[in-house]
């Protein structure tokens, strides 16, 4: 039996703007409003406004909230100060990645875990199951928030015109409560585009007012509404992983080249956490026999690689593309791929992508493809 996709609080706004809508993780979301290339370039050079209300917010509270999160996640949540955030992961007992997350510390004993839309229920179920024995409460707050993101070099100025919050003092991966255009919000300096920007968590009933205020304030400096399509090409250029592509339940953080997020020593009562033994073994394997490595590929021609295409060298398959698209910034097709360690060094020659039977030449480069100037 088919289930109708969920609608965000901004659904009517997207339709009024003529957005092309798509079903994404059970949500009806704007893919693009016009040209995805124009939206991408606007975020790189000016600013873009995104509706990210499909993300999954889970609140964790209680005297043992930090011990519980240290047990449930691979990161050291105990070292996150109030008002700060951390990128981390939740893994299965076998070390496989269930999702990558951002954890915000909202107070002494209050945290907000933000999961990807496609995995929000998986994360909620896993956290709920792992809470046994801890004096901590796991609360599903997915319906309590709408999430708007303003991203791009003009975003600080746009937001400053609508709030008296100390944006200059707000560091990357930090958040503070404030008021934006008269709307109570958690203002976070986070994003998924490779640009400076902010994510604003607000009550769903305030979303339309805030969207309108941001669009009005940003119009003079070129702010445009931006959809999920350009968000994907922006994160691809910035070398940021996407669950279901670079990250899966079949891969550990060490397989994905993100072993740095795993902290075996934690500031809590115990260093035990779910998947610890498997991840310790994965860390050792990565040291002694490196798995396939995640690299960037830049096309010499015009054909675009897609996820699942084989990476080849000397007539043999040496890897697989996980994400690929035309890069508006570079003006060439690009891809992220897992390749054998022997072919992973930047500048390795003779590497190609099998695109419908033709081995198209590609240059191996280090990630990211794009890094903004500070």
């Amino acid at each position: 039996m088919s289930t109708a996709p969920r609608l965000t609080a901004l659904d009517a706004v997207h339709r009024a703007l003529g957005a092309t809508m798509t079903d994404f993780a059970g949500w009806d979301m704007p893919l693009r409003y016009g040209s995805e290339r124009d939206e991408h370039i606007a975020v790189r050079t000016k600013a873009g406004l995104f509706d990210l209300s499909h993300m999954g917010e889970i609140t964790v509270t209680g005297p043992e909230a930090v011990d519980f999160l240290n047990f449930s996640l691979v990161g050291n949540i105990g070292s996150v100060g109030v008002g700060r955030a951390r990128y981390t992961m939740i893994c299965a007992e076998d070390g496989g990645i269930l999702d990558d997350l951002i954890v915000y510390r909202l107070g002494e004993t209050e945290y907000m875990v933000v999961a990807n839309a496609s995995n929000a229920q998986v994360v909620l179920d896993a956290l709920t199951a792992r809470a046994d024995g801890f004096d901590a409460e796991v609360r599903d707050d997915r319906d309590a928030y709408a999430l708007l993101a303003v991203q791009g070099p003009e975003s600080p100025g746009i937001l400053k015109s609508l709030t008296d919050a100390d944006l200059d003092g707000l560091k990357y991966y930090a958040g503070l409560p404030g008021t934006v255009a008269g709307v109570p919000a958690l203002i976070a300096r986070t994003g998924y585009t490779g640009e400076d920007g902010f994510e604003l968590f607000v009550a769903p009933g305030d979303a339309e007012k805030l969207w309108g205020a941001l669009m009005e304030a940003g119009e003079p400096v070129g702010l445009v509404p931006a959809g999920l399509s350009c968000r994907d090409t922006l994160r691809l250029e910035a070398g940021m992983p996407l669950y279901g592509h670079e990250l899966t339940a079949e891969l550990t953080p060490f397989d994905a080249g993100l072993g740095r997020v795993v902290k075996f020593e934690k500031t809590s009562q115990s260093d035990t956490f779910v998947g610890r033994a498997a991840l310790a073994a994965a860390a050792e394997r990565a040291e002694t026999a490196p798995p396939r490595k995640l690299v960037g590929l830049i096309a010499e021609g015009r054909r675009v690689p897609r996820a699942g295409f084989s990476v080849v060298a000397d007539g043999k398959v040496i890897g697989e593309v996980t994400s690929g698209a035309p890069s508006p910034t570079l003006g060439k097709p690009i891809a992220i791929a897992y390749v054998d360690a022997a072919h992973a060094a930047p500048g390795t020659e003779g590497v190609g992508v099998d695109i419908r039977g033709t081995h198209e030449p590609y240059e191996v480069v280090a990630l990211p493809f794009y890094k903004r100037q500070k």
Side-chain angles (χ1 to χ4, degrees), residues 284-357:
E284 189 173 338
R285 285 196 304 272
E287 286 288 332
T288 57
R292 283 182 168 178
K293 292 189 175 182
L294 203 58
V295 302
L297 299 174
I298 299 179
E300 295 182 16
R302 307 303 304 173
R303 299 185 73 184
V304 179
R306 299 297 182 188
F309 285 12
S310 295
V311 182
V312 294
D314 301 323
K316 297 178 181 178
V317 175
I318 60 158
E320 183 177 300
V321 172
T322 54
S323 298
S327 166
T329 304
L330 276 63
K332 298 178 180 180
I334 60 173
I336 297 177
Y338 281 107
V339 302
D340 293 343
H343 296 85
T348 300
E349 296 182 352
V351 173
V353 175
D354 187 335
I355 301 181
R356 298 179 180 84

Side-chain angles (χ1 to χ4, degrees), residues 32-242:
R32 68 181 71 84
Y33 298 86
S35 160
E36 58 197 56
R37 182 179 181 276
D38 289 347
E39 291 171 23
H40 179 114
I41 291 171
V43 175
R44 284 277 178 261
T45 60
K46 297 172 184 174
L49 180 60
F50 298 84
D51 177 10
L52 306 179
S53 302
H54 59 315
M55 301 295 281
E57 296 87 4
I58 301 164
T59 302
V60 177
T61 57
E64 295 183 344
V66 66
D67 293 330
F68 162 65
L69 288 171
N70 269 346
F71 170 76
S72 300
L73 311 178
V74 303
N76 183 8
I77 307 306
S79 62
V80 180
V82 174
R84 299 306 301 266
R86 179 152 300 160
Y87 175 79
T88 187
M89 295 181 184
I90 182 168
C91 290
E93 196 65 66
D94 66 359
I97 303 167
L98 297 179
D99 200 14
D100 61 335
L101 315 162
I102 295 181
V103 178
Y104 295 89
R105 188 174 183 183
L106 305 181
E108 285 298 324
T109 59
E110 183 180 6
Y111 296 81
M112 182 169 68
V113 177
V114 181
N116 287 298
S118 57
N119 294 329
Q121 191 63 49
V122 170
V123 174
L124 178 65
D125 290 345
L127 289 175
T128 301
R130 296 175 187 184
D132 284 349
F134 290 95
D135 188 0
E137 178 190 353
V138 177
R139 187 174 70 237
D140 181 1
D141 271 349
R142 286 177 288 179
D143 292 335
Y145 293 101
L147 176 57
L148 283 66
V150 56
Q151 300 278 302
E154 297 287 351
S155 58
I158 294 169
L159 205 55
K160 280 180 184 178
S161 72
L162 297 172
T163 184
D164 57 4
D166 180 17
L167 299 185
D168 290 334
L170 188 63
K171 297 179 180 178
Y172 188 49
Y173 266 71
L176 81 167
T179 302
V180 183
V183 170
L186 172 65
I187 306 167
R189 200 163 205 152
T190 47
Y192 195 51
T193 63
E195 297 298 336
D196 192 10
F198 303 87
E199 295 183 322
L200 308 171
F201 296 85
V202 300
D206 291 331
E208 281 199 27
K209 178 183 177 182
L210 182 55
W211 178 281
L214 288 164
M215 287 300 299
E216 183 178 351
E219 185 179 11
V221 292
L223 174 74
V224 302
L228 294 185
S229 186
C230 83
R231 188 168 182 254
D232 189 51
T233 53
L234 288 160
R235 71 91 194 167
L236 178 56
E237 288 183 349
M240 295 177 171
L242 174 64

